Amino acid sequence: DTNWKILSIDDVPIADGGKAAELRFAGGKISASAGCNRLSGGYTAEGSSLIFGPVAGTRMMCPEPQMAQETKLLTILKGKASTRYAVDGKLIVTGENGSRVTLEQIF
């Protein structure tokens, strides 16, 4: 069970929209928000890869920066993604399409 703050997607810092941009892993399930809708789904870990199951979400309209972030996050959370830790301890998750999300663990 780990909680992560989403710092950036494809090296673009997360837009401040009032809602926290976070990703949580717990018991084979993920819950997330890129600052707009709540997302949830399943995942399995295989070595340094994560395989995401279907991800569902609420359908609120939000300002464009948050909607764009959410769309990119959904592409990363689709199918198989690779993970690696940066020197500074941040977790980088890269989707099959090459998009990546940079995360910082919340303790």
Side-chain angles (χ1 to χ4, degrees), residues 31-105:
S31 58
S33 176
C36 183
N37 289 291
R38 296 297 314 157
L39 309 172
S40 62
Y43 79 95
T44 56
E46 288 184 1
S48 64
S49 296
L50 296 172
I51 300 164
F52 296 101
V55 175
T58 57
R59 295 181 164 216
M60 296 184 306
M61 288 300 296
C62 297
E64 180 51 33
Q66 286 79 18
M67 293 301 294
Q69 289 169 174
E70 183 173 288
T71 299
K72 286 186 177 186
L73 181 61
L74 282 167
T75 65
I76 297 166
L77 302 178
K78 185 176 187 179
K80 189 173 186 176
S82 64
T83 62
R84 71 176 175 87
Y85 284 95
V87 175
D88 59 6
K90 292 178 178 59
L91 178 62
I92 300 167
V93 179
T94 304
E96 291 179 320
N97 68 347
S99 287
R100 67 190 171 282
V101 58
T102 302
L103 308 166
E104 180 176 66
Q105 191 167 7

Side-chain angles (χ1 to χ4, degrees), residues 2-43:
T2 56
N3 295 311
W4 301 85
K5 178 180 179 181
I6 300 174
L7 300 176
S8 65
I9 299 175
D10 290 334
D11 296 325
V12 176
I14 292 297
D16 181 18
K19 289 187 180 179
E22 296 179 344
L23 180 58
R24 175 177 168 76
F25 295 90
K29 304 270 185 210
I30 61 164
S31 58
S33 176
C36 183
N37 289 291
R38 296 297 314 157
L39 309 172
S40 62
Y43 79 95

